[in-house]
Structures are given as structure tokens and as C-alpha cells.
Amino acid sequence: MSLLVVGLSHRSAPVSVLERASLAADTQAKLLQDTLAAEPATEAAVLATCNRIELYADVDKFHAGVAELSTLLAQHSGVGLDELTPYLYVHYEDRAVHHLFSVACGLDSMVVGEGQILGQIKDALARGQELHTAGRLLNDLFQQALRVGKRAHSETGIDRAGQSLVSFGLQQLAAGADPGLWAQGKRALVIGAGSMSSLAAATLARTGVAEIVVANRTRSRAERLVEILQQGDDTTVRAHAVEMSAVGDELTRADVVVSCTGATGLVLTADALADALGTTLDAPAEAPAVTVVPAPADVDQHAAWVENGSAVSAPEAAPRRVTLPAQSTGPVKLALLDLAMPRDIDGAAHRIDGVRLVDIESLADASADAPMAADVDQVRTIVADEVAAFGAAQRAAHVAPTVVALRTMAADVVAGEIARLDGRLPDLDEKQRAEITQTVRRVVDKLLHAPTVRVKQLASEPGGAGYADALRELFDLDPQTVAAVSRADLNDPNRGRS
């Protein structure tokens, strides 16, 4: 296993960089195809969410892999390599497994413990399977990450450590008030009908808003979301769908707006919002600086993080100070929650009197001080145990084709000897022949049982990869036979499917 991940997230890069580096679905597909075309990679998968972009690959050379994957991310994101590199992080082999399992459990999320990431990991796996870029390693890795994430949520109280990004965003909009009380009687406009917008609409309905209007470029999808909302047993919310062209009119009647579309440009400009409220933009005001986490250094330093064959995390660096816009003061007439990346709502909306804007950037800042639940330590233990188990399973799987080839060779030897016996003792009846055949097979099985079981055990331990080579040398196994077993296993249609 030579698993490598190169990426950036809300922990390593400012939202402005993540926003520019976001990858559309067709761009992700092209990135995967180009990664496989690159010499160091044999498998690839992309995990792209509103606050992370990560490229996973099975590589045969670490340094070349880091350089190639970093270059490909820069090319497809449209952010220059020199600008992107300071924000990239690199994990290799067991560290890469640990990283993905932590992500799956919500430990690396902007809101610790949120469960939406599991759906995004599942989508990343499905995309890799559909494009045939995810092979044995990444299929196993992502499938196991999903199981680890589900285990963390079912066996611990990690859900209490955080919540969905939507729920956290609504808490920020409520500005300290109880979200349920704050939402009572309000009219909400949800822009978009994808997974995040659907979650937002469902959360708003449970929170207690009186009415939800859904706007989407495809009217049928908006109507489908409305239908789902009205079928819910835990809400009596009124809901209806409108065309995107009606958003301007709906803004004049809305109290809360949640937007999460796949648009590459702004959906709501500051001028459009000001017009809806019958007001104007205030003059820009200087805002206080806030601390954000810096990124690791450059690609050359990434390579230097490898110690004894496994990468270590990026070294700690001093915090940077950046300036974020201050919110307008006074009573809130319109609450805006922007969950899109790149952003849907003009950041200048904070200058409109009566508007409160919460977006990915302000959520990142607010969540930095969120309390950690005691269950987080338990989840970290689960992750550590699962990483060790995954590594052992992968190392054991590496020797399996050699064991199968050895048993195949032994079966061929038995078959050859039985055929020779038939030629020398043609008068044996079927019962005698069957007894002799079974006896010979039993002897061979008993001779092979201990060494094959033991070699699997040894191979599962750290540094055990060489046992497969030793087995091939000792029994003079044909490498082509071993490779054929590996290909047959890899092409199994039932492999990697949940």
C-alpha cells in the first residue's frame, strides 16, 4: 500500500482560497482521469466538499506523487501552484488512512461531529467507481471509512460534540437565542435543491419556521423537495416552490434566506438585497482582525515530513491575522445563511442595515471556540484501532495471491501424481482411487496449513510485506500466476460494493 493524500481544508487555508479552488463535478472527473494518466498514480479519488478538497491516490513513488498531485490540483482548481502550495497538506500510508477515518468521524469537520461528511465520502467513492479510477486500495479504504464513521456515531456521543453545518449556522443567525424560539413564525427562502439545501429546508421545518419557499433552477427538483417537506410527520410547515426568477420578489417577504447552489457566480448581490429591503449599502467599515490557522510550507517540505516511510503532520506555524467584515448593528430584518462554496451571497451584504450574514468563513471562525465533548477521545481511540486493523488487513491481503498461487501449484502437483498413478495402476477401482486421492490431498493440505497461516499472520504485522516475496522464492512460484490471481480478485464485480 502506497496511499497518498494531498489536499487543503478549512484548517489549512482561508475560505477565500478554498472558494477559488472549488471543483465542479465535471472538473473532478477530469482531475481523476488526469491523475491516472500521471505516471506515479494507479488509483485516484477526490473528496470535495464546501470546506475541503482532497486528492487520494495509490502511488509508487512518494516524492513524484506529491509533486504530481499538487500540480494537478493547481491546474484543475485554477489557483496557481505557487499560491496553492503553502496551503496544501500531505499524508502518506497509515497517516493518510488515519486522516480519512478522522474525517469520516467528523473529527476534522468545521463543526466537530457533524455527520454530513459520510454522504460526501460515499459520493466520492461512487464517483471513483463510476469512472473506474478507484481500484482495490481506494475501494477498501473508502468503504472502511464509511464503516468507521458509522461506528463512531453509533457507539459514542460524538453527535453531541457538534451538529450539522446547517444547525450550527442557524444557531449563529439566532445570535445566542434559542433557534426554535427565534424561528417561530418566520418565512424562510431556500435557494437550491441539492443535498445541503434539502438538509437546510428540513432543519428549518423542524426548527419551527411557519413557511418555506424553495427556489431552484430546475423547478421539478424544487417541487420534489417541497413534496418531501410536506410529507414529514414531525412538521406542519407550509411549503411551495418558485422559479429562480421569482427570488427577487420572495426576498421582500422573507425573514430567513439559506442558499447553497452550484453556481460559479453570486446568486444574491448586495445591491439586490438592498433593493429588496428598500435601503442602501453602508460605507465600508474597518473590521477587527481575527486569527486563522496557517498552512504548512512548500512541496519540498512536504517530502521532508516523511520519516521512516510514513509521513508526519505538518509542523506547527504561527497564526496569521486577517480582517473579516463586521456585521451591521440594529434589529435584524433579514437573516442570511450562505452554505455554498464558492459563495452564493455577496459578502458586502453585511453593510446593509438590518441584514445579518453568516457564511462558511464566519462559521469557521465561530466553530473554533466550540466546546469539545468528552466523546471525542473515545472516537479518537476508535480511529486509532481501525487504522491499525486496516493496515493489518491490507498487508495480509498483499500476501493472499501468493498463498492462493502456492495452493494452486500444490493442487496441480497432486493432480499430476494421481494421473501418473492411474497409468501405473490401471486396475484400481473408483473407491480405491478416491481414497488415495483424498489421502494425498490431506497430506499436502496439512503440510501447507501451518506455513500459509503463519505467513498471513506475519504479513499483517508492520514490515511484513517481504514475506510474500520470500514465499515466492522458496516455492519457485511463477510471478505471472500470482499476478493472475491478483487481477482476478481485483476484477471481482462484487468487490468494493456496499
Side-chain angles (χ1 to χ4, degrees):
M1 178 181 68
S2 298
L3 177 65
L4 174 67
V5 56
V6 178
L8 66 160
S9 74
H10 64 99
R11 293 185 180 277
S12 71
V15 172
S16 58
V17 174
L18 283 171
E19 187 175 44
R20 292 170 53 211
S22 62
L23 303 175
D26 56 345
T27 305
Q28 292 178 40
K30 186 65 166 61
L31 172 59
L32 288 174
Q33 292 162 351
D34 289 351
T35 301
L36 280 196
E39 183 178 344
T42 57
E43 299 181 33
V46 172
L47 178 58
T49 73
C50 61
N51 53 33
R52 77 177 60 251
I53 303 165
E54 296 177 344
L55 179 55
Y56 291 77
D58 184 6
V59 299
D60 56 6
K61 300 173 183 175
F62 171 76
H63 295 85
V66 171
E68 190 66 41
L69 267 58
S70 301
T71 300
L72 287 168
L73 277 175
Q75 289 175 349
H76 290 79
S77 69
V79 180
L81 182 59
D82 289 343
E83 182 180 359
L84 187 65
T85 294
Y87 303 109
L88 294 177
Y89 48 76
V90 172
H91 298 294
Y92 190 54
E93 294 188 334
D94 285 349
R95 289 289 305 178
V97 176
H98 189 281
H99 175 73
L100 181 60
F101 288 3
S102 297
V103 169
C105 292
L107 292 180
D108 198 59
S109 294
M110 188 177 294
V111 181
V112 174
E114 60 92 10
Q116 293 166 238
I117 187 64
L118 286 175
Q120 294 160 334
I121 291 174
K122 188 174 182 180
D123 291 342
L125 174 60
R127 187 181 305 109
Q129 290 174 337
E130 180 182 355
L131 297 173
H132 304 291
T133 62
R136 175 190 294 163
L137 174 59
L138 293 185
N139 267 296
D140 289 351
L141 175 70
F142 277 70
Q143 290 280 4
Q144 188 63 22
L146 291 171
R147 287 189 283 269
V148 174
K150 292 174 183 176
R151 181 187 169 195
H153 283 279
S154 65
E155 296 183 14
T156 75
I158 188 66
D159 292 344
R160 296 193 297 267
Q163 57 232 293
S164 75
L165 204 58
V166 175
S167 299
F168 190 62
L170 292 179
Q171 280 190 359
Q172 299 306 304
L173 286 181
D178 181 276
L181 297 176
W182 171 82
Q184 289 298 318
K186 283 184 167 52
R187 193 171 192 269
L189 170 62
V190 175
I191 304 176
S195 58
M196 183 68 81
S197 297
S198 299
L199 177 62
T203 304
L204 285 166
R206 289 194 302 271
T207 303
V209 296
E211 184 177 358
I212 296 176
V213 178
V214 180
N216 192 57
R217 296 189 189 282
T218 305
R219 176 68 179 262
S220 60
R221 293 191 65 186
E223 291 173 342
R224 175 57 181 156
L225 177 53
V226 166
E227 182 181 346
I228 293 172
L229 290 173
Q230 293 177 331
Q231 290 173 348
D233 296 331
D234 57 348
T235 177
T236 58
V237 68
R238 300 190 306 275
H240 68 275
V242 299
E243 303 284 350
M244 284 292 288
S245 58
V247 165
D249 291 335
E250 295 298 332
L251 284 173
T252 64
R253 295 185 285 272
D255 301 301
V256 185
V257 177
V258 180
S259 187
C260 187
T261 72
T264 55
L266 293 175
V267 174
L268 297 178
T269 65
D271 288 335
L273 290 164
D275 289 343
L277 292 174
T279 185
T280 58
L281 287 172
D282 295 334
E286 185 175 345
V290 298
T291 302
V292 297
V293 179
D298 56 31
V299 172
D300 290 335
Q301 285 177 307
H302 292 330
W305 296 338
V306 180
E307 294 179 355
N308 301 321
S310 67
V312 297
S313 300
E316 295 292 333
R320 289 183 295 114
R321 302 288 288 179
V322 299
T323 299
L324 297 179
Q327 297 286 346
S328 62
T329 58
V332 176
K333 301 175 184 176
L334 183 61
L336 305 173
L337 178 56
D338 186 358
L339 299 174
M341 183 64 71
R343 71 189 70 195
D344 280 347
I345 301 176
D346 192 343
H350 74 279
R351 290 161 42 201
I352 304 173
D353 186 38
V355 167
R356 178 170 178 78
L357 171 63
V358 172
D359 57 16
I360 294 294
E361 193 161 16
S362 56
L363 284 175
D365 183 43
S367 65
D369 296 325
M372 299 286 283
D375 299 273
V376 168
D377 286 339
Q378 187 178 351
V379 173
R380 287 173 175 156
T381 299
I382 289 175
V383 168
D385 291 345
E386 292 284 358
V387 169
F390 182 82
Q394 289 297 307
R395 289 187 290 269
H398 178 71
V399 79
T402 302
V403 171
V404 172
L406 173 59
R407 290 192 172 276
T408 300
M409 183 192 75
D412 291 341
V413 170
V414 170
E417 289 302 312
I418 294 300
R420 189 175 70 85
L421 185 64
D422 286 343
R424 298 186 63 178
L425 300 174
D427 296 331
L428 286 175
D429 59 34
E430 285 301 317
K431 184 177 180 180
Q432 292 171 325
R433 185 179 184 279
E435 184 64 32
I436 292 172
T437 301
Q438 186 177 13
T439 299
V440 174
R441 286 176 177 167
R442 237 190 260 117
V443 170
V444 171
D445 285 343
K446 288 183 177 180
L447 286 173
L448 290 182
H449 176 74
T452 53
V453 169
R454 185 59 180 149
V455 79
K456 287 180 181 179
Q457 293 172 340
L458 292 170
S460 68
E461 298 172 0
Y467 286 101
D469 296 332
L471 203 61
R472 286 193 294 270
E473 288 293 327
L474 286 171
F475 289 91
D476 194 24
L477 297 175
D478 184 359
Q480 296 300 322
T481 303
V482 177
V485 173
S486 299
R487 286 193 298 271
D489 184 38
L490 186 59
N491 294 328
D492 183 349
N494 296 317
R495 184 179 181 85
R497 300 290 175 179
S498 57

